[in-house]
């Protein structure tokens, strides 16, 4: 049924300014998939971009591709990024007079064989108001930018003849105030457009409930749109599951509607079945059945069909636990926006599948659709690949949250958006929770929407952070889950131990992935896995939303830019744009670059941290008789995995051997013998189990590494005192070491190029205030005793003085450097304490024994196993969108830098240290805003840190823990430099 607003009000109401108008002429939402057999309308459309919705259409037409935002298709309206602040100053529901409006037009050829059928237009998504005209006649209006709008064209279209379809999209509207999500602002038709036909008597909706015990219920709603005053007799519904007929002759219960204004009549049919020995659905084993529902005419012919993939599973909350099929599952989640670096919000099926494949390979099992319903294909993929989904309504009023939450003018919009999401997505087994939206305060509008959901779908819980923050245990708010945002870990643990917890605690956002970030992730999960009542959370977020931009003209590249980026690095003349890069005055900078993958989907190093934290197989402990392994899955055994043992010895040897993983059910442990005899010599020894996919999975071929749990089985020998050997070390008049392979001598470093967390968390400002980025070195004394040379120096900032001592001792083949630095009390939290030097050019290969091979830091090192690693120097640096400290390796014991002829230098450290080797000084990284502005140095910039500050997530969330801070006092470290 449609609203009965007269067509002349379509223009008179100016729907982009009227919050009471959420739709006109738009059909009700349903869960019947009409993509099969439809006529696709994607492709190039005639296009004009008007300055305002009331501006006349005229002049020359250009073209725009549908689906696609016009903001990335070479128009004058470019992308803009704001997080909280609206892109215009008007108060809700008002919008600016300057309001970009896209007019899309094309010919529409309706097949002649569709005569007598019901003909429907579906527009997958449009931002933010859609107006539909056919041959100049108004058809309807829709808001809700991230759900499809359907319009019945039967009465205005002529099958077999050509019509002109016009879709007008108004960028700003009253609805924009509740679409204030942390993303780029775009405009356009961002999902596919199609035309389909049905019998006038058709399946209007299908609801499926499939329980863990095999009970299946199918509810069918049939609508007669022919204008008849009754449903014809003899029609019925059948359904089959994987080809086996479930029911026949399911006749209709007529829904009597006495209102004369309604031309449609409805009927309902219900099918119940019990499926024996049912294979249940869960994220680890996403078993699906194919359900086909058919509407039959009285003569048995099929009038309409709806196909669904069904997963049998139960979701419930028992006490403070969220259960899937009776099991308390950990939610290892990520927030995901629709995003692509070339097409903005438009994402293809292949791109969505690639997103989920990456997530699956790195141990994620849950997605929050931040902050709106995603493309329908994403839920199909989540059903198939195995993800728990929090489906989130298209509601965020961040800038005006308090006013809108109780504003009755927005009541219909809240209920409309939440209910349409549920009506569309209710049959997906992957969806385990409904979300009422994001960062919109909490008010009567939320309660109204929650009430509708509880009545329509009592099988799933509801969450909403805005309600939960009023009280994690409050039973009277609309959230069934305590889902805070960036809550301190100690607060979460305290709540779980308080005895007052009444709901599962699953943070909707808990670790902010902006730049070099996600520190303390392992600490969070150690607490989650050991504390009943804590059940996981969702990292913010999946993507860095960098848009590929031509540096020459500052414009987005658009659909033609494929191949211009790879592994996080763009081709020359291009870069990843963030807020402010398109000339917009109002923006929030690089805050849009806060994902665990780069804009080209290359995983950031933090992904390997998460992969190890989520490992399905763990090494519990090492005993003399063997290794204790544990299965940390919820539903699955280890039969789908394969393993290889790897023993790394400090003397450079690595031993390997295959193993057969034990048969372990979820939660079980077993001791397995050591794979080989550990050599008596060789020093420190680390045993790693390389776990791979043993048989092809839908998301990974056999051989794909899943995790690499590790345990130390022998400690390192302590580094002895240096024995002087060879001639005395040379130092210059400033007490600086002279060495043929060094272009800049080792000096003290307390500064790092601030990470995004450092900048937004306020630490970088303090460091600059202290003058740590511009320390002035003054030699106090140079003293030689025998072969040893001791240099005392002071490093002065704007406050405080650091006393630095270097002792150089000649040793066989090189020099031993013993250092200490005394930090004054004022320097209670610095970035690092260590040495920095630079090498000659040509040393292009780093080999090291320590953690790796990817980047790691003190509070993000669980995913980097100790071993022997080797990488070209140019591959060590991580190109976070805004240049900053990166490329560090934690726990390094020794390393070499060599040229192709194997000449170079070797460094041995007194104990595992933080080391970085890149082409950039800290001041080089600090001085620029994008990587295309960086000029690599010919040699290597080497940092050896006695202590290095953790990363934390303070750009939006808690800082690192006190144990990862660099404190005042005396720091000591030693290292030996030798020529290869």
């Amino acid at each position: 049924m449609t609203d009965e607003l007269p067509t002349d009000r379509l223009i008179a109401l100016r729907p982009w300014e009227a919050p009471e108008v959420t739709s006109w002429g738009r059909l009700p939402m349903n869960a019947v998939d009409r993509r099969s057999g439809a006529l696709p309308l994607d492709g190039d459309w005639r296009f004009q971009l008007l300055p305002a919705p009331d501006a006349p259409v005229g002049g020359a037409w250009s073209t725009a591709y549908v689906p696609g935002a016009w903001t990335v298709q070479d128009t004058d309206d470019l992308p803009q990024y704001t997080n909280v602040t609206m892109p215009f100053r008007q108060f809700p529901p008002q919008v600016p007079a300057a309001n970009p409006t896209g007019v899309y037009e094309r010919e529409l050829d309706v097949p002649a064989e569709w005569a007598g059928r019901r003909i429907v237009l579906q527009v997958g998504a449009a931002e933010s108001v859609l107006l539909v005209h056919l041959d100049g006649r108004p058809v309807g209006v829709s808001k809700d930018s991230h759900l499809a709008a359907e319009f019945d064209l039967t009465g205005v279209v002529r099958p077999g003849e050509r019509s002109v379809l016009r879709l007008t999209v108004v960028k700003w509207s009253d609805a924009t105030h509740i679409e204030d999500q942390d993303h780029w602002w775009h405009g356009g038709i961002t999902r596919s457009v199609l035309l389909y036909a049905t019998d006038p008597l058709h399946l209007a909706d299908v609801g499926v409930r499939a329980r863990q015990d095999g009970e299946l219920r199918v509810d069918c709603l049939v609508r007669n749109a022919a204008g008849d005053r009754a449903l014809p007799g003899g029609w019925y519904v059948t359904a089959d599951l994987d080809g086996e007929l479930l029911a026949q002759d399911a006749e209709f219960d007529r829904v009597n509607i006495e209102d004369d204004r309604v031309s449609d009549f409805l009927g309902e049919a219900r099918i119940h079945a019990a499926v024996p020995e049912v294979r249940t659905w869960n994220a680890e084993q996403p078993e699906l059945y194919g359900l086909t529902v058919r509407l039959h005419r009285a003569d048995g012919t099929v009038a309409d069909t709806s196909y669904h993939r069904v997963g049998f599973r139960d979701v419930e909350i028992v006490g403070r636990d969220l259960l899937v099929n009776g099991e308390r599952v950990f939610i290892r989640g990520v927030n995901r926006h629709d995003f692509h670096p070339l097409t903005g919000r438009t994402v293809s099926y292949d791109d969505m599948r690639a997103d989920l494949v990456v997530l699956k390979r790195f141990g994620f099992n849950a997605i929050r659709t931040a902050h709106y319903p995603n493309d329908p294909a994403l839920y199909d993929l989540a059903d198939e690949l195995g993800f728990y989904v929090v489906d989130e309504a298209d509601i965020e009023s961040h800038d005006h949250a308090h006013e809108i939450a109780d504003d009755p003018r927005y009541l219909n919009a809240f209920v409309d958006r939440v209910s349409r999401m549920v009506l569309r997505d209710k049959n997906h087994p992957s969806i385990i929770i409904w979300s009422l939206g994001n960062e919109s305060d909490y008010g009567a509008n939320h309660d109204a929407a929650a009430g509708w959901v509880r009545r329509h779908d009592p099988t799933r819980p509801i969450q909403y952070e805005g309600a939960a923050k009023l009280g994690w245990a409050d039973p009277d708010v609309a959230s069934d889950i305590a889902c805070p945002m960036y809550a301190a870990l100690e607060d979460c643990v305290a709540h779980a131990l308080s005895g007052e917890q009444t709901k599962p605690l699953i943070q909707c956002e808990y670790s902010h992935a902006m730049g070099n970030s996600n520190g303390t992730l392992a600490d969070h999960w150690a607490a989650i896995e050991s504390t009943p009542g804590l059940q996981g959370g969702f990292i913010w977020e999946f993507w860095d939303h960098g848009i590929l931009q031509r540096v020459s003209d500052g414009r987005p590249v658009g659909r033609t830019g494929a191949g211009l980026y790879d592994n996080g690095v763009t081709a020359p003349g291009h870069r990843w744009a963030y807020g402010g890069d398109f000339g917009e005055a109002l923006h929030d900078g690089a805050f849009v670059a806060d994902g665990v993958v780069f804009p080209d989907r290359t995983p950031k190093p933090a992904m390997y941290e998460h992969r190890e934290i989520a490992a399905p197989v763990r090494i519990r402990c090492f005993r003399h008789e063997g290794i204790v392994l544990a299965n940390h899955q919820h539903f699955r055994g280890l039969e789908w995995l394969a393993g290889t043992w790897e023993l790394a010895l400090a003397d450079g040897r690595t031993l390997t051997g295959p193993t057969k993983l034990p048969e372990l059910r979820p939660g079980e442990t077993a001791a397995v013998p050591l794979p080989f005899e550990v050599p008596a010599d060789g020093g420190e020894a680390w045993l790693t189990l390389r776990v791979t996919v043993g048989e092809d999975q839908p998301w990974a071929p056999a051989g794909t590494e899943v995790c690499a749990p590790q345990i130390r089985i022998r400690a390192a020998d302590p580094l002895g005192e240096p024995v002087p050997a060879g001639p005395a070390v040379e130092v210059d008049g400033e007490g600086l070491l002279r060495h043929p392979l060094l272009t800049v001598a080792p000096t003290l470093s307390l500064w790092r190029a601030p990470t995004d967390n450092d900048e937004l968390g306020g630490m970088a400002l303090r460091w600059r205030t202290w003058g740590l980025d511009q320390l002035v070195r003054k030699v106090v004394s140079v003293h030689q005793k025998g072969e040893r040379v001791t240099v005392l120096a002071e490093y002065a900032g704007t406050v405080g003085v650091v006393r630095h001592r270097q002792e150089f001792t000649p040793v066989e083949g090189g020099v031993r450097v013993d250092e200490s630095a005394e930090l004054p009390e004022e320097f209670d939290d610095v970035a690092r304490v260590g040495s920095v030097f630079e090498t000659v050019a040509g040393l292009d290969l780093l080999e090291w024994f320590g953690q790796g091979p990817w980047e790691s830091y003190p509070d993000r090192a669980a995913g980097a196993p100790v071993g022997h690693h080797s990488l070209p120097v140019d591959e060590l640096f991580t190109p976070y969108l805004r240049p900053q400290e990166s490329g560090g390796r934690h726990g390094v014991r020794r390393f070499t830098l060599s040229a192709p002829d194997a000449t170079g230098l070797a460094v041995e450290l007194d104990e595992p240290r933080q080391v970085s080797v890149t082409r950039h000084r800290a001041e080089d990284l600090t001085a620029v805003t994008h990587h295309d502005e960086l000029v690599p140095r010919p040699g290597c910039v080497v940092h050896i840190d006695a202590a290095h500050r953790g990363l934390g997530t303070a750009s939006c969330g808690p800082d690192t823990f006190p144990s990862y801070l660099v404190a005042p006092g005396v720091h000591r470290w030693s290292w030996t430099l030798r020529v290869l």
Side-chain angles (χ1 to χ4, degrees), residues 317-539:
I317 292 176
V318 177
R320 56 181 185 172
D321 295 327
L322 174 70
L323 306 181
V324 175
N325 297 339
E327 293 291 328
R328 180 180 184 268
V329 297
F330 285 123
I331 301 300
R332 305 181 186 277
V334 70
N335 290 273
R336 180 193 172 275
H337 270 297
D338 281 341
F339 171 76
H340 190 277
L342 300 179
T343 56
R345 291 192 196 270
T346 299
V347 188
S348 70
Y349 174 88
D350 289 342
D351 284 323
M352 284 183 277
R353 193 178 199 285
D355 291 353
L356 300 198
V357 163
V358 167
L359 287 170
K360 196 78 176 177
R361 291 183 183 184
F362 283 89
F364 290 91
N365 69 356
I367 295 168
R368 176 176 173 233
T369 67
H371 301 291
Y372 40 78
N374 285 185
D375 187 290
L378 182 117
Y379 303 89
D380 294 338
L381 288 164
D383 294 341
E384 172 194 334
L385 298 177
F387 284 91
Y388 303 120
V389 175
V390 174
D391 202 8
E392 191 150 273
D394 188 10
I395 299 173
E396 180 169 343
S397 56
H398 207 158
D399 200 9
H400 300 287
H402 181 68
E403 307 93 273
I404 289 177
D406 286 304
D407 188 336
R409 295 175 297 178
Y410 281 92
L411 172 62
N412 288 344
F414 273 58
V415 177
D416 184 64
R417 288 165 181 248
V418 173
S419 63
R420 294 182 77 235
M421 171 186 71
V422 174
L423 287 167
R424 187 195 72 167
D425 296 337
K426 60 191 174 186
N427 295 335
H428 289 281
S430 57
I431 298 173
I432 63 169
I433 299 169
W434 301 117
S435 170
L436 303 180
N438 183 66
E439 293 180 320
S440 300
D441 209 324
Y442 179 47
N445 295 340
H446 295 96
D447 285 335
W452 188 95
V453 176
R454 294 193 195 285
R455 174 73 177 181
H456 186 82
D457 179 23
T459 69
R460 296 176 175 95
I462 294 172
Q463 77 171 47
Y464 176 58
E465 182 268 339
K469 71 181 180 182
L470 299 181
W472 293 353
D474 190 340
D476 297 323
V477 298
S479 186
D480 300 316
I481 294 170
C483 48
M485 190 177 287
Y486 306 109
L489 180 59
E490 58 268 28
D491 293 343
C492 296
V493 172
H495 178 68
L497 299 178
S498 67
E500 300 176 357
Q501 184 181 6
T502 61
K503 304 176 181 180
L505 199 159
I506 304 170
Q507 293 207 58
C508 67
E509 299 174 22
Y510 78 100
S511 181
H512 195 250
M514 185 178 181
N516 193 357
S517 188
N518 299 111
T520 72
L521 198 59
D523 304 83
H524 272 75
W525 274 97
I528 290 168
E529 292 188 357
S530 62
T531 308
L534 304 186
Q535 210 167 335
F538 296 83
I539 291 174

Side-chain angles (χ1 to χ4, degrees), residues 92 165 209 268 282 340 409 411 466 479 552 744 786 789 833 945:
L165 175 63
R209 293 184 181 177
E268 293 177 350
N282 58 70
H340 190 277
R409 295 175 297 178
L411 172 62
S479 186
S552 58
V744 176
V789 178
V833 178
D945 293 327

Side-chain angles (χ1 to χ4, degrees), residues 60-379:
W61 292 83
S62 62
T63 60
Y65 191 85
V66 174
W70 68 62
T71 41
V72 290
Q73 294 197 54
D74 207 26
T75 69
D76 291 332
D77 185 32
L78 299 176
Q80 180 180 0
Y81 167 64
T82 62
N83 174 23
V84 177
T85 306
M86 290 292 292
F88 48 79
R89 298 185 180 277
Q90 281 75 10
F91 203 79
Q94 300 301 314
V95 295
N99 190 352
T101 300
V103 180
Y104 297 81
E105 195 172 274
R106 62 163 289 164
E107 277 70 40
L108 189 63
D109 295 309
V110 179
E113 57 268 27
W114 285 8
R117 308 200 74 199
R118 169 178 169 264
I119 300 170
V120 178
L121 171 72
Q122 182 186 98
V123 181
E127 300 182 34
S128 85
V129 176
L130 171 68
L131 298 91
V132 181
H133 291 77
L134 191 73
D135 292 331
R137 299 175 58 186
V139 173
V141 173
S142 179
K143 299 178 187 178
D144 194 354
S145 294
H146 298 93
L147 281 175
E150 293 190 342
F151 303 90
D152 191 335
L153 303 185
T154 308
V156 292
V157 78
R158 298 177 298 279
E161 298 182 22
R162 173 165 289 188
S163 300
V164 175
L165 175 63
R166 175 177 289 185
L167 304 179
T168 303
V169 180
V170 184
K171 185 174 183 179
W172 307 130
S173 75
D174 63 284
T176 305
H177 292 282
I178 56 172
E179 294 178 356
D180 183 19
Q181 287 110 1
D182 180 11
H183 202 327
W184 291 99
W185 292 101
H186 288 292
I189 300 171
T190 54
R191 293 184 191 155
S192 289
V193 180
L194 56 87
L195 199 69
Y196 68 86
T198 72
D199 193 281
L201 190 65
H202 60 280
L203 290 169
D205 198 9
V206 174
V208 181
R209 293 184 181 177
R211 297 181 59 87
Q212 176 191 2
D213 62 4
E215 179 188 354
L216 177 65
R217 171 179 162 180
V218 183
D219 294 320
C220 301
L221 179 66
V222 174
R223 190 184 304 274
N224 187 355
D228 298 333
R229 303 303 292 165
L231 291 170
W235 288 54
Y236 62 97
V237 170
T238 63
D240 67 64
L241 193 69
D242 281 353
E244 182 176 344
L245 190 66
L246 294 178
Q248 193 170 4
D249 298 324
E251 295 183 352
F252 297 106
D253 296 325
R254 177 174 170 179
V255 180
N256 293 311
I257 302 176
E258 302 299 336
D259 192 334
D260 289 339
R261 296 177 304 164
V262 179
S263 62
D264 294 354
F265 272 75
L266 306 177
E268 293 177 350
R270 296 179 180 87
I271 296 173
H272 286 86
V275 180
E277 299 180 354
V278 67
R279 305 184 309 275
T280 57
W281 185 98
N282 58 70
E284 294 170 13
Q285 294 175 298
E287 297 283 355
L288 294 172
Y289 292 77
L291 173 70
T292 303
V293 180
R294 296 181 178 90
L295 171 64
H296 297 265
R297 301 180 182 91
D299 62 3
T301 59
V302 176
D304 204 359
T305 301
S306 185
Y307 178 77
H308 305 265
R309 290 192 298 180
V310 175
F312 288 82
R313 62 102 183 94
D314 288 340
V315 180
E316 59 183 334
I317 292 176
V318 177
R320 56 181 185 172
D321 295 327
L322 174 70
L323 306 181
V324 175
N325 297 339
E327 293 291 328
R328 180 180 184 268
V329 297
F330 285 123
I331 301 300
R332 305 181 186 277
V334 70
N335 290 273
R336 180 193 172 275
H337 270 297
D338 281 341
F339 171 76
H340 190 277
L342 300 179
T343 56
R345 291 192 196 270
T346 299
V347 188
S348 70
Y349 174 88
D350 289 342
D351 284 323
M352 284 183 277
R353 193 178 199 285
D355 291 353
L356 300 198
V357 163
V358 167
L359 287 170
K360 196 78 176 177
R361 291 183 183 184
F362 283 89
F364 290 91
N365 69 356
I367 295 168
R368 176 176 173 233
T369 67
H371 301 291
Y372 40 78
N374 285 185
D375 187 290
L378 182 117
Y379 303 89

